[in-house]
Amino acid sequence: MSTASAVPAPTTRTVAVPRWASRSLPVLVGVVAAVVAWLRLPAGARDTLWAEDSALFLQQRLQLGPLASLVHPYDGYQHLVPRLLTDVATALPVADYARAVTALCCIVVGLVAAATVAFSGAVLPHPVTRSLFALVPVLTPVVAFEVLGNTANLHSFLLFLVPVVLLVRPRTWAGAVTPGVVALVVALSEIQSVYFLPLVLLTVRHRRAWPVAGGLLVGLALQFASVLSSPRVRPPFQQGLGDVVTGWFVEPVLSVLYPKASSAADRLGEYGLVLPALLAVGFVAATAVVLVGRWRRGDGLGPLRTLAITLLVASPLAWAAGVLLNPTPLIDFSEDGLGALGRTGYLRYAAASSMFLVALVVLAADRLLRTGRRPLVVVAVLVLVGWVAFLGWRATPYDVARSGAPTWTSAVRDGRQQCDGGVQDTRLQQAPTGWGVTLRCTTIRTDAFPEHQP
């Protein structure tokens, strides 16, 4: 039985956009995304380094130098973009390093948004839905807690860009260069790009898209070469499959409503998994809106349908792979109960998974807009306005994982006092507890990072 009556076939109407507006849209959206990313972080967090930002990327940059550190694997992987940002930030005064890293990370988030707008024209021809789709990563509620504003977790934003880039169909060989380079850079920074390899098969019939797929494949080949040459080491802890499934509902799904884990834990105490289950059904329904109707070759909906299916599958996949490859007792819900979420907070693996779900609502609204039917267009507009208003409300700043930790400014000041006491090296503590970087006193006194610090 045909379901075409549920959502009518799209009309051939197109949105007339001035050429100047089309060209400036990626820049405008990118600037908005970068500013929102900066404003979502409390002032103290902007001045605090997180985890690998200090103890690995900065420390290895000082020990190995700019070139050797750029390709040095960490935990079995390549991290090209974080190391490039570290190189840029070390060219600035030592006292400004943490804020510089935060600002650079926010700029990269803006570049991801700009690239999403530039590359998603075939998927989302309407400039409004394309812009809102590009802003999803920075507006996703859970990203502020641990992922936003640090190089250690910047890969989550890069991962959002992968399916969009792989759906690019360049009209010329020259037009394939930029998305091909982007695919290469992203793959060399985020090994989880491998999830989207099935999309590479769709480029076989489009020769001018081969450089894009090739960029991804080359980057992933180098990633797996690093895995073989520098294998990862993990503690002997087994993650329960039940906890993985429960965790997806509790973290990527429920965090859309409650960016604060303590609030989410309270709701779980009242309603159990009913609330996140209903929310998950809503995201599945959004995907169904995109898919329902008569499928006809050349109707312009193929890329949209492909992206919707990809994101719906990628959400639980990214979450499950993250926690299975990095097992942690922090989601041992079967042992500790759902209330444990309030004590542990959200995991970083929830970020990309949640972005994919949030984006599905925008795709569903775009599908309704394309019908050209006034009632459905009105529904789409209301959904978009309500969704953006809700996400904007949930994007207000609050305490994040590195809130309350020693700021970089205070750590540098304390280090300078220790250096005045006669020591040659000083340890600058950052977040989380136990992470930091050791600097020479000459570096602190001159307020400039050396090219190499053996």
Side-chain angles (χ1 to χ4, degrees), residues 57 69-70 72-84 151-152 155 188-190 223:
F57 296 137
S69 64
L70 197 62
H72 185 71
Y74 160 61
D75 210 13
Y77 304 147
Q78 291 291 328
H79 303 264
L80 179 60
V81 170
R83 293 193 183 278
L84 285 173
T151 64
H155 56 87
L188 284 173
S189 308
E190 172 56 292
Q223 284 282 17

Side-chain angles (χ1 to χ4, degrees), residues 303-380:
L304 183 68
R305 293 183 181 122
T306 300
L307 184 58
I309 294 171
T310 299
L311 297 184
L312 183 64
V313 174
S315 177
L317 175 62
W319 165 262
V323 295
L324 287 174
L325 294 175
N326 305 274
T328 171
L330 296 179
I331 61 166
D332 195 2
F333 298 116
S334 57
E335 182 70 23
D336 300 330
L338 297 177
L341 178 66
R343 299 187 296 272
T344 62
Y346 292 119
L347 298 182
R348 60 189 180 276
Y349 311 114
S353 180
S354 191
M355 292 178 201
F356 298 149
L357 295 175
V358 172
L360 288 172
V361 177
V362 180
L363 299 187
D366 182 85
R367 175 67 177 93
L368 295 177
L369 286 175
R370 294 198 202 192
T371 65
R373 301 293 181 89
R374 182 170 297 178
L376 295 180
V377 170
V378 171
V379 171

